[in-house]
Amino acid sequence: MRHRRPDDRRPPWGVRRTLLSASAAAVVLLGWFVLAVRLALPSAQAEGLVFFVAASFVLLLLFGRWLARTGALLVLLGLLPAYSAFYGGWAATGDEILLARGRQVDAVVAAETAHRLKAGIDYTYDLRNPDGSTGSLDPGAGTRLAVGSRVPVVEDPGGLVATQLAGKQDPAVALVFAWLGVGGLAGSVAVTAVAGERRRVRNATTR
């Protein structure tokens, strides 16, 4: 049996294991969020994030089992922060891109499509730009446009971000949601890792 020297100030293996496993889980999860936000950017509707949130549920479950032998704790603590990080990151990144390189044009509303949702009816529109190109627009809940009218919109020349109504680009609030989600997720991983380490210590001392 190896005894620690009095001058050996390194943390015990259990603490290091907890720190390393929690750090690895946080890095992988945050990397997944960055990738998911990038993949979801072309979507004009927040419902496009549902798939990525569902995948996050699976990741949280797997990492929860790895950290604490149960995925329920990390899912319970981390699912809401994960959605906040997703939604905030998606909205803020899209707004930042449109503010940085977006092009404002006066487009003609060519057609309207109604979508029945549980909360009511949502409308999306086909647009015709001054140069003859076409596009689509989701103005958001509660906004309805007249077919044939001209509306100022901001479009991304690179096509990475969905077209938005001009004047709606405000990343500040979305960034707050994103950072709150990231902080909440990191805290959830830390709590789960500590709970797992305490369980391992308790099981080892009761044998």
Side-chain angles (χ1 to χ4, degrees), residues 63-77:
F63 277 117
R65 290 183 62 83
W66 178 49
L67 294 171
R69 296 184 183 179
T70 173
L73 178 60
L74 187 54
V75 169
L76 179 65
L77 295 176

Side-chain angles (χ1 to χ4, degrees), residues 152-170:
V153 298
V154 180
E155 62 179 14
D156 175 21
L160 178 61
V161 182
T163 299
Q164 296 181 12
L165 286 175
K168 285 198 170 185
Q169 293 72 48
D170 183 12

Side-chain angles (χ1 to χ4, degrees), residues 11-102:
W13 168 239
V15 175
R16 286 182 306 202
R17 176 178 55 198
T18 301
L19 291 173
L20 290 172
S21 59
S23 298
V27 168
V28 173
L29 287 171
L30 293 177
W32 158 246
F33 291 151
V34 172
L35 175 63
V37 167
R38 169 62 180 82
L39 295 175
L41 278 177
S43 174
Q45 298 178 339
E47 285 77 3
L49 298 174
V50 171
F51 166 78
F52 301 106
V53 174
S56 296
F57 177 90
V58 177
L59 284 176
L60 291 171
L61 188 65
L62 292 175
F63 277 117
R65 290 183 62 83
W66 178 49
L67 294 171
R69 296 184 183 179
T70 173
L73 178 60
L74 187 54
V75 169
L76 179 65
L77 295 176
L79 193 57
L80 184 58
Y83 179 77
S84 179
F86 265 136
Y87 179 78
W90 169 75
T93 303
D95 285 352
E96 289 283 7
I97 290 174
L98 290 179
L99 286 173
R101 70 183 188 190

Side-chain angles (χ1 to χ4, degrees), residues 5 8 28 36-37 42 51 55 88 99 102 115 118 120 128 144 146 153 171 190:
R5 295 194 303 257
D8 187 358
V28 173
V37 167
F51 166 78
L99 286 173
H115 306 274
K118 291 182 178 180
R128 185 171 64 252
R144 191 172 185 184
V153 298

Side-chain angles (χ1 to χ4, degrees), residues 160-199:
L160 178 61
V161 182
T163 299
Q164 296 181 12
L165 286 175
K168 285 198 170 185
Q169 293 72 48
D170 183 12
V173 175
L175 276 174
V176 172
F177 274 97
W179 283 114
L180 286 175
V182 169
L185 181 67
S188 301
V189 170
V191 169
T192 304
V194 170
E197 181 59 28
R198 288 182 174 178
R199 172 178 289 185

